[in-house]
Amino acid sequence: QTTLSLLTMGLETIEPLVRSVEETPEPISAEVQGTIPSWISGKLLRNGPGKFEFGNTHYNHWFDGMAMLHQFKIHEGQVTYMSRFLDSDAYKNNREKDRIVMSEFGTLAMPDPCKNVFQRFLSRFEMITPTDNASVSFVKYKGDFFVSTETNFMHRVNPENLESLEKVDWSKFIAVNGATAHPHYDPDGTTYNMGNSYGSKGALYNIIRVPPEKTDAKDTLQGTKILCSIVPANKSHPSYYHSFAMSENYVVFIEQPIKMDLMKIVTCKLRGKAMSDGIYWDPKLETVFHVVNKKNGEVSSVKYHTKAISTFHQINAFEEDGFLMIDLCCSDNGQAINNYLIQNLRKSGDALDEVYNTMGRVFPRRFVLPLNVTGETPTDQNLNTRLSSSATCVKVFCQHEDLHGDELHQYGGLEFPQINYGRNNTRPYRYFYGCGFRHLVGDSLLKMDLKDKTFKVWQQKGFFPSEPAFVASPDAVEEDEGLILSVVLSPSQDKGAFLLVLDSKSFEELARAYVPVNMAYGFHGTFDASA
């Protein structure tokens, strides 16, 4: 039902949104229509792919494009914009050779044509070097900004001018081969993340804790520790994950049926395939929630199961009355990661409709996990005694509760969820924001109200908004008092991009800041109020 709940015909082509663009390294002024409240001051930092070919070689997958960093600086009702390509080794090497020399998730770099046949043959037996093309998000560790992807490399960047400062390697600090681009933060600045390790013991999922403060000015990830390691259900086929959930006392890892065939990944160069060839969806497997105590790293012996679902982004998680609520955006289909090929995104007409209509929809759901399950707990009754929730949990199989009504199906579901993080992360909350997906990228902005599962919408035909950023107003009393910022693109208009400012309470449009440049559709970002 979630796969084909919205059959769409006549989708507008979005090819211009996945096309290479030029950087704007010096700030330019945006033309503001409407009024941006004078209290907001800071920078919206955004990340995403911005270059899809070098010379006559091109990338195959949306995730492969070279990282482009964007900054919208807001001050006293005015906006300036600038952008720069991340000065990664991948970008520099590709540009110098004018061809793709660094393999990415969905693109295998071909051997150097200048090498002789024997050298080219030998190069097929080398492992693929992990990319430092950190194109997914802006993240913060110890007060510094980094851009991140999912490999072991991040780049520390200066948010003032988007300059790349240094490449940082997770594996120099702890035994992991990478980390997600979606860490979680405690109020004191302690940061949690997850990363896999592949060693003599096989694959492990590791929960990582980064201390809140630096010991000296050069400090990046010093003092980082592995809080605990979780053994995969199948050590040679661990699950892929893009994020995880965190409540006040627990970290929750969701082991989903999107699997990584390590043998295929290790041999992909030899087989002439991209790394993405080793990732597959196995709907016969259940999804497992692993609950870890944040204070001592103890992994709960209780494993909570549910049917096969796929999830990229968690909304929030919190504890109440002995239960752990986990809210996430998920789908009953896990093929999405392999569908975001650039050739699919660039299709038009019936071919584009077909791509969209065969993809799973993503919806917000709640899982309720009872925290006091013991050996004595009966196995035949619903352990969720919360009257306010229709989710069920029978030892220990969980059925979700939908966090939406039927009307959300008309908007293609919801992804890129955001909350009032500073105030409500790990706590009970009422509102979350996201993009509606009646297309392969977001085509509306939604404000969901958990109290009655209704929502408000901002949409305009032909315009494609990106992940919303919530900025609380300085004197806010209520959870939803503030602004929503979103970068909106229009494939049918040359240089038609603008920063949209909504009142987050009423969801009414307050202003647009038009930027006369072309932008590619990006992934994630953050608002930095320290300007």
Side-chain angles (χ1 to χ4, degrees), residues 28-89:
I28 57 172
S29 290
E31 182 200 327
V32 178
Q33 288 182 4
T35 306
I36 299 173
S38 56
W39 60 258
I40 185 170
S41 185
K43 298 177 286 288
L44 177 66
L45 302 168
R46 296 264 313 149
N47 196 352
K51 186 169 176 62
F52 298 98
E53 65 284 305
F54 286 92
N56 57 10
T57 59
H58 62 86
Y59 291 113
N60 301 321
H61 200 283
W62 192 22
F63 299 172
D64 298 345
M66 291 290 98
M68 191 175 211
L69 316 182
H70 307 260
Q71 178 215 75
F72 295 83
K73 196 171 198 170
I74 307 170
H75 187 63
E76 293 180 346
Q78 297 304 306
V79 177
T80 61
Y81 168 79
M82 65 180 295
S83 63
R84 289 175 94 148
F85 282 110
L86 175 65
D87 212 12
S88 62
D89 290 346

Side-chain angles (χ1 to χ4, degrees), residues 130-150:
T131 181
D132 67 335
N133 175 37
S135 64
V136 178
S137 193
F138 272 87
V139 296
K140 232 176 170 179
Y141 294 101
K142 303 183 186 182
D144 283 340
F145 281 98
F146 294 80
V147 286
S148 173
T149 177
E150 298 181 341

Side-chain angles (χ1 to χ4, degrees), residues 40 47 52 66 85 120 123 144 165 205 215 219 234 273 293 297 362 409 449 461 466 476 489 517 525:
I40 185 170
N47 196 352
F52 298 98
M66 291 290 98
F85 282 110
R120 289 211 301 265
S123 76
D144 283 340
L165 300 174
Y205 310 119
T215 48
D219 186 338
N234 180 338
K273 298 279 190 183
N293 183 312
V362 177
H409 288 274
D449 185 343
K461 193 165 169 49
S466 62
L489 306 180
V517 299

Side-chain angles (χ1 to χ4, degrees), residues 57 59-60 94 99-104 106-112 123-124 128 269 272-274:
T57 59
Y59 291 113
N60 301 321
N94 292 338
R99 65 183 185 87
I100 294 169
V101 295
M102 193 90 195
S103 292
E104 299 289 341
T107 307
L108 181 69
M110 287 301 139
D112 185 346
S123 76
R124 292 174 64 181
I128 283 186
K269 205 166 174 182
K273 298 279 190 183

Side-chain angles (χ1 to χ4, degrees), residues 472-492:
S473 60
D475 49 2
V477 177
E478 295 186 34
E479 179 190 331
D480 61 341
E481 281 182 69
L483 300 175
I484 289 290
L485 307 177
S486 175
V487 181
V488 181
L489 306 180
S490 171
S492 60

